[in-house]
Amino acid sequence: MDLSQLYPLMTDTALEPWLEILPRQVEAGLSNDSYGKLAEWQAALAQLPDIQAGNMDFNADIVSIGGEPGLDKKEKARLEEILKKLMPWRKGPYRVHGVYIDTEWRSDFKWQRLKDAIQPLAGRRVLDVGCGNGYHSWRMLGAGAELVIGIDPSPLFVMQFQAIKHFTGPQPVFVLPLGIEAMPDSLRAFDTVFSMGVLYHRRSPMDHLYQLKQCLKQGGELVLETLVIKGDEHAVLMPEDRYAQMRNVWFIPSSRAMMLWLRRAGFKNIRLIDETYTGVQEQRATDWMRFHSLENFLDADDMSRTIEGYDAPLRAIFIAEAP
Ligand SMILES: C[S@@+](CC[C@H](N)C(=O)[O-])C[C@H]1O[C@@H](n2cnc3c(N)ncnc32)[C@H](O)[C@@H]1O
């Protein structure tokens, strides 16, 4: 992974201390020893055609890269074939030189729910924790962020991001193969930190909140999205095993409990800006993600329940200010 464009953007900023460990972290996060299929994905990336990007739109529901002249039918089919070697594509959608990547998630729905409620991103340094393949990171850039760093420990998603970036050319957006636990202590460097779809995967949600706080400058904004349940500030669900077939789901608080957790972690000016049930228009199997999806995770006789008998997925978005 070539990070030569990132390093100068970190030098002489509050991000500089991270540079001491970052190269080693990136190397470990993409080590062939740890991830058997990495070589296959890298080979797919190497097959991507070099096409000069023309029009690019990071500020629309479909993150798009186009160019003139467009690809002919055969070239388009070949590009689709290469991109499909990186399946499953979960977050999107994207359109790359006429190839529409119809991802499992319409991630634009989530962006629509939060984009007008957050501090404008223009000129801000942004961290997108658990960014997946970086769909929202592109949208943050489209909203004017000066620098976006996404982190995600899944190398496939990092490869998908690289595939998209291959076509955009240099842009101040990066996805690094790291988990939140790799962030240096007390960095306090970002103007906005997003943690979306991550908290319920953490065994210790309070530690997660403290880690997010350590990434934010004083007065910086946290945008946190997570699964919630209905209930008062003492209501928290810990599933016995899976939740909507997802492994590694630990704590699902009510929105009021989540706000209490944010207060206890020291955040100020905490607001709940949205609660929405996930629908089958937002998360579904497609030609680019052929495994089971939400429809199969809900009780066929009662779509308000998961197949394990819990309430169906309800997601909430919170905004808070770092002290
Ligand atoms: C449900 S997805 C959310 C993706 C995206 N943020 C969104 O909201 O659409 C959760 C992501 O968190 C990542 N993740 C899992 N453990 C993590 C950790 N310790 N630190 C950062 N990200 C993590 C997963 O690889 C996955 O891509």
Side-chain angles (χ1 to χ4, degrees):
M1 178 183 270
D2 177 14
L3 294 174
S4 55
Q5 290 155 26
L6 173 61
Y7 295 152
L9 299 176
M10 295 173 70
T11 309
D12 293 331
T13 76
L15 288 164
E16 186 155 356
W18 190 11
L19 278 175
E20 262 178 47
I21 52 170
L22 187 55
R24 282 194 308 281
Q25 291 180 322
V26 170
E27 198 181 317
L30 289 180
S31 119
N32 270 307
D33 300 342
S34 318
Y35 305 105
K37 293 190 88 176
L38 198 59
E40 237 174 78
W41 298 325
Q42 278 166 334
L45 283 184
Q47 290 171 353
L48 289 171
D50 287 320
I51 313 171
Q52 190 71 37
N55 312 326
M56 290 186 266
D57 195 350
F58 307 135
N59 199 17
D61 294 346
I62 306 174
V63 166
S64 307
I65 299 133
E68 294 294 337
L71 301 185
D72 67 28
K73 215 170 151 194
K74 204 168 146 209
E75 290 167 328
K76 236 169 92 171
R78 175 69 184 138
L79 175 56
E80 179 167 333
E81 188 189 324
I82 300 169
L83 290 170
K84 282 191 166 161
K85 292 182 183 178
L86 300 175
M87 289 205 317
W89 283 80
R90 294 194 181 273
K91 311 296 175 179
Y94 298 93
R95 184 175 284 113
V96 183
H97 291 290
V99 175
Y100 180 61
I101 305 181
D102 187 11
T103 49
E104 177 189 19
W105 282 84
R106 287 289 308 271
S107 308
D108 50 310
F109 287 19
K110 191 183 287 188
W111 191 252
Q112 286 295 343
R113 293 198 280 265
L114 64 82
K115 71 180 180 52
D116 295 326
I118 61 175
Q119 289 282 330
L121 293 178
R124 290 169 86 97
R125 291 200 188 102
V126 180
L127 178 69
D128 185 5
V129 175
C131 62
N133 67 30
Y135 171 85
H136 293 125
S137 312
W138 289 109
R139 299 300 305 269
M140 292 163 201
L141 184 69
E146 178 184 301
L147 170 67
V148 184
I149 300 183
I151 57 170
D152 200 292
S154 166
L156 173 60
F157 301 152
V158 177
M159 294 294 120
Q160 290 174 352
F161 170 80
Q162 294 285 23
I164 300 296
K165 198 166 182 188
H166 171 87
F167 293 104
T168 69
Q171 300 290 338
V173 51
F174 303 85
V175 169
L176 308 177
L178 317 173
I180 176 79
E181 54 286 355
M183 294 303 291
D185 289 340
S186 308
L187 195 59
R188 307 234 52 175
F190 290 95
D191 301 296
T192 303
V193 170
F194 288 81
S195 165
M196 304 198 290
V198 179
L199 182 118
Y200 52 85
H201 287 309
R202 304 302 293 152
R203 269 186 302 193
S204 172
M206 287 309 299
D207 288 342
H208 184 60
L209 297 182
Y210 273 90
Q211 281 162 340
L212 297 170
K213 192 170 74 173
Q214 291 306 317
C215 296
L216 275 163
K217 280 182 182 161
Q218 188 180 9
E221 185 167 79
L222 173 68
V223 183
L224 184 117
E225 190 256 12
T226 190
L227 286 167
V228 293
I229 55 169
K230 290 286 181 195
D232 68 15
E233 64 189 0
H234 305 295
V236 180
L237 168 70
M238 175 181 262
E240 184 69 37
D241 183 15
R242 292 190 183 204
Y243 172 85
Q245 282 301 285
M246 268 184 289
R247 292 194 189 89
N248 284 330
V249 174
W250 296 96
F251 295 92
I252 307 182
S254 67
S255 287
R256 287 183 58 195
M258 187 67 239
M259 291 171 91
L260 170 61
W261 293 359
L262 285 162
R263 287 198 296 279
R264 287 292 307 272
F267 285 95
K268 308 281 177 224
N269 196 11
I270 300 157
R271 284 146 295 150
L272 167 66
I273 59 156
D274 183 77
E275 266 188 0
T276 301
Y277 282 101
T278 306
V280 291
Q281 285 79 33
E282 186 169 354
Q283 186 191 9
R284 73 276 190 263
T286 68
D287 206 25
W288 292 77
M289 198 305 292
R290 296 177 184 158
F291 302 121
H292 281 176
S293 189
L294 182 63
E295 183 184 14
N296 314 97
F297 308 152
L298 298 177
D299 182 337
D301 297 323
D302 176 3
M303 299 287 266
S304 71
R305 317 292 292 170
T306 70
I307 57 173
E308 301 88 4
Y310 301 114
D311 286 347
L314 171 66
R315 291 172 174 268
I317 304 173
F318 305 86
I319 292 179
E321 188 184 314

